[in-house]
Amino acid sequence: MILYFLTLVLFVMGLYCLVAKKNIIKKIIGIVITEYSINLFLVLVGWRKGGIAPILLKGMQKSEIVEKGVDPLPQALVLTSIVIGLGVLALMVSICLRLYEKYKTFDMSEINRLRG
Amino acid sequence: MQAYFPLFTAIPLAMAFINLLVTKVNKKVTDFLAFLAMISLASMAIMMLFESPFSYQLGGWAPPIGILLVSDGLSSVMLVIINVIGLLSMIYSMKYMTTYTAKPKFYTLFLLMIAGMNGVVITGDMFNLYVFLEIASIASYALVGFGCEKNELEASFKYLILGGVASTVVLFGIAFLYSMTGTLNMPDLAVKIPEIGHNHAMGFVMALFIMGFGLKASSVPFHAWLPDAHPSAPAPISAMLSGVLIKALGIYSIARIMFNIFGSDTMVSSILMFLGALSMLVGVFLAVGQHDFKRMLAYHSISQMGYVMMGLGLGLNPNVPPALAALALFGGLFHMVNHAVFKSCLFLCAGSFEYRTGTKDKTEMGGLIRRMPFTSATCSIASLSISGVPPFNGFWSKLIIIVAFMKAGYTIYGILAILVAFMTMISFIRLQMNVIFGKLPEKFEKIKEAPFAMVLPLVILAILCLALGIFYPLVDQNLIEAAKDALLDKAQYISFLGR
């Protein structure tokens, strides 16, 4: 239970970072932290105590996997979500670099030509 | 047709990258390749309308293990909206995008966005929905910042941050749902969720989904990115974002998940109705004071999405008579289709005016009907349509929503809807006076009508505005009726499991 609570704390920390910080690099770090907390949560969903990899090795009974094997699906989901996160991160950083070229600052409060 | 169903995502995905490779050798074919992809998608989407509902098992794996693609009334209507408006925007961008550099890259991103949206509306798997949502979102972030000037980059960054939060929240909801039910297949979820019943965790999941998809649909507390992002994008992309993307990613996902998976619920219904009414009011009040043509249209998008949300909300309410709930849902879906048509037309008109006059400020324009008759006429038709003047399409859908709310006893919401319709009309009358009629400024004496490739999509969209209004009993009745039935008939959705 405490582990789930800690992922929630991580999520809230990421959101705080996203909302409160003015530096856009720090905002990006905030987004990444929230993503990681969700990934951790997904891993926790598949976790079980004393679990083994869900692979049928030689000389193993099927019942053993049913009893002890972990759920393989969340791991596949985490892998996909990490790759997507990488794509978003690459785009965020490249836009951030272009913003720096145009505005010569990373401060979001000075990047305010649009009001909305 | 059924065997070719996955091509809806495969064609644009493949063409996006083939386009980049081929244009390394020959830059001129890029228009042709993109047109080929879009025309085949659009014709396939129209053919899909005549198919009865079916499900496609990807790789032949039976659900709930394998990924399911689902085609029912709602999916086919959404496919038609996405691909037909996509085709028209693509034709428009052949000429319009010559003012930008790197046209092949533009088409690549455009096709990726189409692939993502098609994927979202045909998938029957929660995680698959998330993946396609991200494909469409990432492509749209890049397209908003396509101009690479100060404003575009800022808007793109804001959109990225908020869109990133939305995606994270949606993934959180999906993870939570999986940990409770042990399945990601949507028809299977529809079976398992009633077995668990309503508890706090389920409420939390619903809240996460309303927030995540509400952010994508830009309903009011989450709307901050839209008025920046939509005007900053190139005109055909604004048309796609406002006309299609917020519906395919936001409204469609909310409707599918809330109706087909969770089923009717009083709390969700009242939240959706409240958010809808709020979006309607705030959007229209903010729109009235805007000088920037495209920014004003963006605020109206928020306001019109409010109508759709309200219709969906009343449709979810278990306490009103089923006939009224169905009527409200019908109105909401009909307004969604109509909004796709007239809002993309308006954004494309704004693009044409900008292309010739070089300004987006509507107070600087005037009397353009004398110089650009076709663009102005289509702009007029779309404006009449959005302000709900009979016999244009916007009138019928607004009327149906208002009647449903009045009859269901939600008089305040009904009155608000009428008030917002009036405000919208005032705002668009002012737009007409500023841009189309009035005195032609001297500096615009020499301008010409927009090129043919830009006028043709406008004319088609304007004809659609009129046709959807006049031939309402013939066309829309069957079309939207099927979409509405698909949402209300949970048993049919469960039957896609094939048991």
Side-chain angles (χ1 to χ4, degrees), chain B residues 405-449:
Chain B
F405 269 88
M406 286 300 191
K407 280 180 108 175
Y410 290 93
T411 323
I412 298 175
Y413 284 137
I415 291 171
L416 279 181
I418 297 173
L419 177 76
V420 171
F422 267 113
M423 297 281 290
T424 311
M425 189 188 265
I426 291 167
S427 164
F428 274 92
I429 288 172
R430 275 186 57 189
L431 176 86
Q432 305 274 309
M433 277 158 51
N434 280 332
V435 176
I436 297 173
F437 303 106
K439 202 167 162 290
L440 189 71
E442 264 177 36
K443 58 181 172 178
F444 297 144
E445 284 291 345
K446 292 266 158 52
I447 61 169
K448 287 182 295 192
E449 178 60 87

Side-chain angles (χ1 to χ4, degrees), chain B residues 1 29 33 42 70 87 103 115 146 164 183 207 210 265 292 363 371 437:
Chain B
M1 219 29 232
V29 292
L33 287 178
V70 170
L87 172 69
K103 209 165 159 192
F146 199 76
T183 179
I210 289 180
D265 184 286
D292 187 327
T363 49
R371 290 286 170 271
F437 303 106

Side-chain angles (χ1 to χ4, degrees), chain B residues 13 26 141 143 161 169 177 353 468 475:
Chain B
L13 267 181
N26 184 349
Y141 305 146
L143 281 169
I161 292 286
V169 166
L177 209 54
F353 287 136
L468 284 177
V475 189

Side-chain angles (χ1 to χ4, degrees), chain B residues 190-204:
Chain B
V191 178
K192 288 198 175 150
I193 282 174
E195 289 170 11
I196 296 173
H198 278 283
N199 51 21
H200 289 305
M202 210 58 90
F204 185 55

Side-chain angles (χ1 to χ4, degrees), chain A residues 6 8 13 19 47 57 59 61 69 86 96 100 108 113-114:
Chain A
L6 285 178
L8 191 67
M13 271 165 62
V19 175
W47 182 79
L57 297 170
Q61 294 299 319
L86 181 73
C96 190
Y100 186 73
M108 198 65 201
R113 285 168 58 93
L114 301 169

Side-chain angles (χ1 to χ4, degrees), chain B residues 79-100:
Chain B
L79 280 176
V80 170
I81 299 179
I82 293 169
N83 294 305
V84 170
I85 301 218
L87 172 69
L88 295 174
S89 300
M90 191 262 134
I91 295 173
Y92 185 91
S93 37
M94 277 188 203
K95 198 74 196 169
Y96 183 85
M97 289 312 286
T98 48
T99 50
Y100 292 75

